[in-house]
C-alpha cells in the first residue's frame, strides 16, 4: 500500500517507564494501510530545528478505531520534544513505510518466537497480535538491562503469548541476556521462527545463534534515516549480493527493510 | 494564470520547479505525494559510469536547520539507470535531467556520449564536486581549468543542454562560473553542498563515517542566495538556483536573485510534497503581485 502524507492527532501519551513513552495517534488512513513491522515518519514540530522526521515503528495498529500507537525512547533532541506533545496536538506524519515482518503459511507449522532487546519490543506487539489471530500466539523472549527497560509485557500476555524475561542485573526474570533464554530452546519440538528486534550487538548474537542452530530468523534493522522513502540512501545496510563475484551490496533499510530474513543480512566486523 | 514556463539553457520547463539530485531518488519514490507531471523537470540521483556502493554508514547527521550527508554516490551506474529507472519515467510528461559524476575528464565525456544517444533524457547536470583521480583527488570544481576541462569533455559529446553544477567550496564562485561558461555550459546549477563535519563528543569520533560531509537545508540558504546573486552578475547563461529552499518565498528570493529555475532538495525529506507546495506558492505569488510572466521577476533584484 502506498504511504500517505497527513497530520496525525495525538489522542494520548504516557510515560510507561523512565524515558519511554507510548503515544496513541488518530490517523485512520494510515492505520487502515499499516502492517506489523512497518514504521511512520513523524515530525516533532513544524519548525526547522529539528529538521528531519523521526522514523518510529508501529507498536499497535487499530484499523477500526483508526489509531496507531508508537512506543519510543526519548533519547535525543527530537524525541525529547515529541515527549512533550499533548493530547489534541497535530503532528505531520507519513506512512506506513517499509517492508514489515513476514508471516509464513500455516502449513509450514512455524512457532513464532519474538526476540526483543529493550525498546526493540515495540514493533513485535502488532506481529504477536496477528499470529494470535491465527491461534498461534507464540513465545516472547525479552532481554533488557534492568526491570526499568521492560515494558508492555501485559500486552503480550493478553494475547496469550508465553512471556520469558531476562535482565542483566537480575531485577526481573532470569539473570542474563536474551541469548541465555534462547539457549534453552523453549519451543520444545516445534519449529521456531525468530522475529528479532533490538540493539545491534544483540541482533548479531541472535543471528549467529540462529545460523548455527538452523533456526528461521527475521531481523528488523535500524539505521540513521532521512526520507524513509528510498530516495536519499542514508540508511543503507549490507546484504548478500545476488550478482556473482560480489560478497555484499547496499540495501535500503527504509524500503528494502526494515525487516530482512537473517540470511540476507551481512554484518560489519 | 501567469506564464511560469522557462527556458533553462535550451531545456524548456513548464514551470521553474525541479528537484535537487540525490534528494528525489529516481522520481517514483515521491509519486505517492507528488504529481510528477506538474514538475518543471526531474533531476535524478547522481550517476557514474560503473555502479557504486557508496560510503559506509553513518552517512547522515542532522544539524540545526540542516543536515550533513556523505552518501558517496551510491548508484546503479549509467546502464542501470537507463535500463531500470528511466523507462517508468517515460510515461510522465516532465523532462528528466541526469546528474553525472566521473573520476576522470574522459569519464565525463563517455557519460555524455551515452546520454546523447539515449532517448528520454532531456539534459545533463554535471557534478564537478568530485575528486579528480588523476590529480591526487583534488575536486574538479575547485580549479577553473579542471572544471573547464570537464565541461568541454561533456560539451564535445552532446548537443543536449549542459548544466554545470558549481561547488560553493571555492574562494570565488564567479571565477568558476566564467570558466565553465567559456567551456560551453548552457546553464549553471548552484549551489552544491557546503563541506562540513560533526563530532560525537561521547565517542570522540566524527559522526559521519566519511568524516567530511555536505551541509544542506535551510541553514545554507543565505550563502546559496548570495552566490546566485553574484553569479547572475558575472555570466549571461541561465541559472538553476538551489540551497535550502523550503517554501515558495525562498524560491521567489532565488528567482529574484537571478535563478531561472529552482531546485528543492533537503526539504523533500521534511515534506515529501514540498515541490507541489512551492509550485502552488509561486503561482499564488504571481497572481497576487500581478506578475503575468515569471520572466518579469527573474533577476528582479538587479534592476
Amino acid at each position: 500500500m502506498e504511504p500517505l502524507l497527513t497530520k496525525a492527532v495525538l489522542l494520548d501519551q504516557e510515560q510507561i517507564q523512565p524515558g519511554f513513552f507510548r503515544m496513541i495517534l488518530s490517523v485512520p488512513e494510515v492505520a487502515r494501510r499499516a502492517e506489523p513491522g512497518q514504521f511512520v515518519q513523524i515530525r516533532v514540530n513544524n519548525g526547522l530545528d529539528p529538521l528531519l522526521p523521526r522514523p518510529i515503528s508501529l507498536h499497535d495498529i487499530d484499523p477500526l478505531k483508526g489509531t496507531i500507537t508508537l512506543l519510543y525512547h526519548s533519547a535525543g533532541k527530537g524525541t525529547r520534544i515529541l515527549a512533550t506533545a499533548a493530547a489534541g496536538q497535530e503532528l505531520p506524519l507519513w506512512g506506513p513505510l517499509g517492508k514489515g515482518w513476514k508471516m509464513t503459511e500455516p502449513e509450514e507449522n512455524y512457532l513464532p518466537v519474538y526476540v526483543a532487546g529493550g525498546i526493540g519490543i515495540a514493533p513485535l506487539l502488532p506481529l504477536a497480535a496477528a499470529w494470535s489471530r491465527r491461534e498461534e500466539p507464540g513465545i516472547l523472549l525479552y532481554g533488557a538491562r534492568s526491570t526499568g527497560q521492560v515494558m508492555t509485557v501485559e500486552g503480550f500476555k493478553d494475547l496469550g503469548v508465553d512471556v520469558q524475561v531476562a535482565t542483566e542485573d537480575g531485577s526481573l526474570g532470569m539473570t542474563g541476556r536474551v541469548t541465555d533464554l534462547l539457549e534453552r530452546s523453549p519451543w520444545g519440538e516445534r519449529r521456531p521462527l525468530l522475529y528479532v528486534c533490538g540493539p545491534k550487538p544483540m541482533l548479531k548474537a541472535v543471528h549467529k545463534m540462529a545460523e548455527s542452530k538452523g533456526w528461521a530468523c527475521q531481523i528488523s534493522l535500524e539505521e540513521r534515516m532521512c526520507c524513509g522513502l528510498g530516495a536519499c540512501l542514508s540508511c543503507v545496510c549490507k546484504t548478500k549480493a545476488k550478482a556473482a563475484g560480489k560478497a555484499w551490496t547496499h540495501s535500503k533499510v527504509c524500503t528494502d527493510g526494515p525487516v530482512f530474513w537473517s540470511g540476507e543480512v551481512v554484518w560489519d566486523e | 494564470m501567469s506564464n511560469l514556463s522557462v527556458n533553462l539553457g535550451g531545456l524548456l520547463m513548464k514551470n521553474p520547479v525541479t528537484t535537487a539530485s540525490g534528494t528525489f531518488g529516481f522520481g517514483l519514490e515521491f509519486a505517492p505525494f507528488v504529481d510528477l507531471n506538474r514538475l518543471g523537470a526531474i533531476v535524478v540521483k547522481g550517476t557514474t559510469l560503473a555502479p557504486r556502493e557508496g560510503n559506509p554508514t553513518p552517512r547522515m547527521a542532522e544539524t540545526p536547520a540542516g543536515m550533513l550527508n556523505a552518501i558517496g554516490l551510491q548508484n546503479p551506474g549509467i546502464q542501470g539507470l537507463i535500463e531500470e529507472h528511466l523507462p517508468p519515467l517515460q510515461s510522465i510528461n516532465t523532462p528528466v535531467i541526469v546528474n553525472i559524476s566521473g573520476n576522470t575528464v574522459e569519464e565525463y565525456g563517455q557519460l555524455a556520449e551515452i546520454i546523447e544517444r539515449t532517448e528520454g533524457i532531456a539534459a545533463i547536470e554535471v557534478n564537478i564536486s568530485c575528486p579528480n583521480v588523476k590529480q591526487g583527488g583534488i575536486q574538479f570544481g575547485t580549479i577553473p581549468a579542471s572544471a573547464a576541462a570537464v565541461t568541454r569533455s561533456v560539451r564535445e559529446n552532446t548537443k543536449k543542454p549542459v548544466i554545470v553544477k558549481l561547488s560553493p567550496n571555492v574562494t570565488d564562485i564567479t571565477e568558476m562560473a566564467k570558466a565553465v561558461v567559456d567551456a560551453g555550459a548552457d546553464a549553471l546549477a548552484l549551489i552544491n553542498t557546503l563541506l562540513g563535519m560533526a563530532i560525537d563528543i561521547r565517542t570522540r569520533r566524527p559522526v559521519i563515517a566519511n568524516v567530511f560531509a555536505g551541509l544542506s537545508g535551510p541553514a545554507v540558504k543565505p550563502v546559496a542566495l548570495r552566490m546566485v546573486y553574484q553569479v547572475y552578475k558575472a555570466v549571461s547563461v541561465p541559472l538553476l538556483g538551489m540551497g535550502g529552499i523550503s517554501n515558495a518565498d525562498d524560491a521567489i528570493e532565488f528567482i529574484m536573485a537571478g535563478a531561472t529555475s529552482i531546485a528543492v532538495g533537503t526539504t523533500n525529506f521534511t515534506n515529501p510534497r514540498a515541490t507541489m507546495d512551492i509550485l502552488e506558492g509561486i503561482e499564488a505569488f504571481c497572481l497576487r503581485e500581478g506578475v503575468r510572466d515569471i520572466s518579469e521577476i527573474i533577476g528582479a533584484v538587479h534592476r
Side-chain angles (χ1 to χ4, degrees), chain A residues 2-5 43 48-54 77 94 97 200 223-227 229-237 246 248-252, chain B residues 22-25 29-33 45 53-55 57-67 71 74 207 217-218 246 266 269-273:
Chain A
E2 281 202 334
L4 197 83
L5 172 66
R43 292 212 63 204
L48 296 178
D49 188 27
L51 186 67
L52 300 170
R54 266 53 192 166
K77 188 154 119 182
W94 57 97
L97 300 166
K200 212 173 250 182
E223 190 50 69
R224 279 165 183 267
M225 207 172 270
C226 188
C227 68
L229 302 170
C232 72
L233 308 183
S234 295
C235 67
V236 295
C237 63
K246 252 178 102 179
W248 58 270
T249 187
H250 272 136
S251 290
K252 294 170 271 194
Chain B
T23 67
F24 206 68
E29 292 89 337
F30 282 80
F33 314 105
K45 170 76 188 148
E53 289 292 348
N55 291 330
T57 57
R59 293 175 164 187
M60 189 275 290
E62 197 175 32
T63 65
M67 62 174 283
I71 306 301
Q74 181 183 333
V207 172
S246 64
T266 301
F269 305 148
T270 66
N271 169 15
R273 199 187 174 276

Side-chain angles (χ1 to χ4, degrees), chain A residues 10 12-25 40 42-44 54-60 68-86 89 91 118-123 148 151-152 222:
Chain A
L10 178 59
D12 188 33
Q13 159 147 268
E14 62 170 329
Q15 186 165 202
I16 60 166
Q17 285 283 22
F20 294 92
F21 292 80
R22 178 166 56 200
M23 61 162 45
I24 303 172
L25 299 161
V40 292
I42 187 164
R43 292 212 63 204
V44 303
R54 266 53 192 166
I56 302 181
S57 65
L58 300 172
H59 179 54
D60 192 24
I68 58 172
T69 301
L70 308 179
L71 176 67
Y72 64 94
H73 186 199
S74 169
K77 188 154 119 182
T79 44
R80 274 198 294 272
I81 295 171
L82 199 59
T84 65
Q89 192 173 326
L91 294 159
I119 187 67
I121 193 75
M151 58 209 114
T152 73
E222 206 176 27

Side-chain angles (χ1 to χ4, degrees), chain A residues 95-107:
Chain A
L97 300 166
K99 295 193 174 72
W101 304 109
K102 287 113 190 145
M103 289 184 66
T104 49
E105 296 302 320
E107 305 85 71

Side-chain angles (χ1 to χ4, degrees), chain B residues 78-297:
Chain B
I78 186 72
Q79 289 309 331
L81 169 84
I82 290 169
E83 285 159 26
E84 283 171 53
H85 300 286
L86 207 51
L89 289 173
Q90 298 314 300
S91 59
I92 293 156
N93 181 29
T94 295
V96 174
I97 303 174
V98 170
N99 174 292
I100 60 167
S101 295
N103 291 318
T104 62
V105 169
E106 294 72 32
E107 277 189 23
Y108 282 97
Q110 288 171 294
L111 282 159
E113 192 270 325
I114 294 167
I115 290 171
E116 173 64 18
R117 54 186 161 81
T118 304
E119 262 181 70
I121 300 176
I124 303 175
E125 183 181 72
V126 187
N127 175 17
I128 56 172
S129 306
C130 308
N132 182 346
V133 172
K134 287 187 183 168
Q135 282 187 1
I138 298 170
Q139 285 184 11
F140 294 104
T142 57
I143 301 168
S146 304
V150 167
T151 306
R152 260 193 305 278
S153 181
V154 174
R155 175 77 292 160
E156 283 163 5
N157 284 285
T158 186
K159 293 186 186 67
K160 291 181 179 177
V162 173
I163 306 158
V164 177
K165 187 168 183 176
L166 300 178
S167 167
N169 305 309
V170 293
T171 309
D172 182 358
I173 196 165
T174 63
E175 200 188 332
M176 302 301 309
K178 287 176 195 158
V180 299
V181 169
D182 288 345
D186 298 305
L188 302 178
L190 67 160
I191 59 174
N192 210 320
T193 55
L194 287 148
L195 200 58
M197 75 178 287
I199 293 170
D200 182 335
I201 59 169
R202 202 178 42 82
T203 61
R204 306 185 180 191
R205 310 304 310 156
V207 172
I208 305 275
N210 186 56
V211 182
F212 299 144
L215 178 66
S216 65
V220 312
K221 197 199 90 179
V223 178
L225 191 65
R226 180 265 294 178
M227 289 184 164
V228 168
Y229 178 98
Q230 284 179 306
V231 170
Y232 182 83
K233 287 217 287 195
V235 298
S236 55
V237 300
L239 308 180
L240 168 55
M242 70 190 85
I245 294 175
S246 64
N247 54 45
D249 289 5
D250 292 344
I252 293 161
E253 278 193 73
F254 274 80
I255 292 167
M256 290 182 170
T260 291
S261 311
I262 60 95
V264 181
T266 301
T267 298
N268 290 311
F269 305 148
T270 66
N271 169 15
R273 199 187 174 276
T275 46
M276 296 293 99
D277 292 346
I278 288 168
L279 174 58
E280 287 159 17
I282 294 172
E283 285 168 351
F285 174 87
C286 289
L287 206 63
R288 198 166 64 235
E289 299 286 323
V291 176
R292 277 164 303 174
D293 191 305
I294 190 86
S295 63
E296 293 166 32
I297 58 168

